[in-house]
Amino acid sequence: MQRNVTKAIFPVAGLGTRFLPATKSIPKEILTLVDRPLIQYAIDEARDAGIEEFIFVTSRGKGALEDYFDHSHELQNSLEKSGKKDLLKILEATNMDSGAIAYLRQHKALGLGHAVWCARRLIGDEPFAVILTDDVIAADKPCLQQMVEAYQETGGCMVAAMEVPMEKTSSYGVLDVSEDMGSIVRTRGMVEKPKKEDAPSNLAVIGRYILTPQIMENLHNQAPGAGGEIQLTDAIAQEIREGRDVFGFRFRGQRFDCGTKAGFLQATVSFGLARPDLRDEFAQFIADVTMLQNAAE
Ligand code: UTP
């Protein structure tokens, strides 16, 4: 039996340059899919997986993100007075228990690995999850919950993985698989952004991790890797090199890369169509737009 995973790190200190100019004043994590910011999807997923402590690694200009989790008494009173119970319930999901949330600063964007390492003192000697809010995953059972359940069986480190076309491997960390057990694979290596011809498989790592505290040690001693940044992938690959278990987990669900404009738009369409209150009108609109576009071509 493994120790429960109750802490999660949300590295949100990146510059978000792919969404400029919006991210000049709005944190990327506050960008909204239908009516919920990306960060809310990540928090809901973490809660469903049993996470109790939420650690945000932030940077300059992320104030809106911190404000988002404050209790808004004025808004709450106003909704209570007007009896808007549905809206009150929506608002409740954004409230965090006192002491459940911590904000740390990453003073310089030195990479994802560095951002995770910034949280080392709050993690201590426990296993922990890392959630990248850019990756939004639509699933019947939330992705991190699937992983926590699998981790109870395997222990070690676990990364979420999905098959991608070979020509896309250069955008991901890619797993070298030593044993394929279906939803869980054992790895013998991990390569950051390999060219198609160098990729050991087409099983790519995406933004959900369950990691052992040893990863913090590895990050502590690690030299900058690809792009001059401290890479989380390198710290995980070190585990494999030193003979400790690292598993890939093929989650069930659809992942959207909301760190890119195309991925964000796809997620917006998909989540919009999944909403009973919007579906009919939105589906009709998409059908009309598609028809007009086809006619114009
Ligand atoms: P990205 O590579 O997507 O970078 O980081 P970014 O800055 O968010 O976005 P672009 O590429 O400029 O558009 C992946 C994740 O790692 C975090 C980011 O906040 C994002 O969640 N990150 C990255 C940090 O917290 N610190 C860093 O130094 C780098």
Side-chain angles (χ1 to χ4, degrees):
M1 192 69 178
Q2 310 301 327
R3 263 182 98 166
N4 286 342
V5 183
T6 60
K7 296 179 179 178
I9 302 176
F10 301 82
V12 291
L15 298 173
T17 52
R18 284 171 288 177
F19 278 92
L20 281 170
T23 44
K24 193 175 163 221
S25 69
I26 307 168
K28 180 168 64 173
E29 301 73 24
I30 292 289
L31 296 180
T32 302
L33 276 184
V34 188
D35 50 13
R36 292 159 73 202
L38 293 182
I39 194 65
Q40 184 71 50
Y41 290 90
I43 287 286
D44 290 347
E45 186 178 328
R47 277 197 183 122
D48 285 338
I51 298 298
E52 293 164 5
E53 286 182 54
F54 305 80
I55 303 164
F56 288 82
V57 182
T58 71
S59 59
R60 252 182 95 248
K62 299 277 178 170
L65 197 57
E66 301 186 14
D67 294 346
Y68 179 75
F69 293 109
D70 278 345
H71 289 236
S72 172
H73 298 293
E74 201 183 3
L75 194 54
Q76 201 164 333
N77 289 344
S78 158
L79 294 176
E80 268 163 15
K81 263 193 209 137
S82 49
K84 295 191 168 147
K85 291 203 177 100
D86 288 356
L87 292 180
L88 273 168
K89 212 162 163 231
I90 290 172
L91 205 60
E92 263 167 33
T94 69
N95 292 344
M96 302 294 271
D97 292 341
S98 294
I101 190 161
Y103 301 100
L104 290 166
R105 281 280 213 235
Q106 185 191 26
H107 293 289
K108 213 169 170 195
L110 295 175
L112 173 60
H114 181 262
V116 168
W117 174 79
C118 288
R120 64 199 177 283
R121 293 202 178 85
L122 292 180
I123 293 300
D125 66 351
E126 291 182 40
F128 60 99
V130 175
I131 296 189
L132 301 190
T133 53
D134 283 0
D135 281 330
V136 177
I137 300 167
D140 290 337
K141 183 184 279 190
C143 178
L144 190 64
Q145 188 182 346
Q146 295 176 35
M147 288 175 72
V148 163
E149 286 172 10
Y151 166 81
Q152 285 304 330
E153 305 293 321
T154 62
C157 286
M158 183 174 278
V159 299
M162 66 177 216
E163 256 93 27
V164 298
M166 273 321 264
E167 52 278 10
K168 294 264 171 78
T169 53
S170 60
S171 306
Y172 297 90
V174 174
L175 298 179
D176 190 354
V177 175
S178 59
E179 191 185 354
D180 195 331
M181 298 167 271
S183 56
I184 299 172
V185 301
R186 189 183 292 276
T187 65
R188 63 174 156 232
M190 213 171 152
V191 192
E192 187 63 29
K193 302 191 171 63
K195 283 192 230 130
K196 179 178 156 191
E197 50 278 20
D198 300 330
S201 75
N202 69 336
L203 203 51
V205 176
I206 61 119
R208 302 287 183 276
Y209 308 79
I210 296 176
L211 301 174
T212 59
Q214 178 62 38
I215 290 294
M216 292 297 188
E217 290 287 321
N218 299 357
L219 287 169
H220 190 75
N221 299 313
Q222 198 175 293
E229 297 191 334
I230 307 278
Q231 298 285 354
L232 185 58
T233 306
D234 292 345
I236 300 171
Q238 185 178 338
E239 289 297 280
I240 305 172
R241 276 199 311 278
E242 293 178 359
R244 290 182 286 273
D245 284 336
V246 174
F247 298 97
F249 181 75
R250 287 191 182 98
F251 59 94
R252 295 171 300 284
Q254 189 178 7
R255 172 259 191 178
F256 297 94
D257 181 2
C258 291
T260 68
K261 288 184 259 270
F264 194 92
L265 288 171
Q266 287 158 17
T268 301
V269 171
S270 185
F271 280 76
L273 289 174
R275 280 276 293 261
D277 55 332
L278 299 170
R279 185 183 301 140
D280 293 348
E281 193 182 340
F282 193 38
Q284 186 60 54
F285 171 76
I286 291 172
D288 292 348
V289 170
T290 313
M291 201 174 68
L292 281 175
Q293 203 164 14
N294 288 342
E297 272 168 10

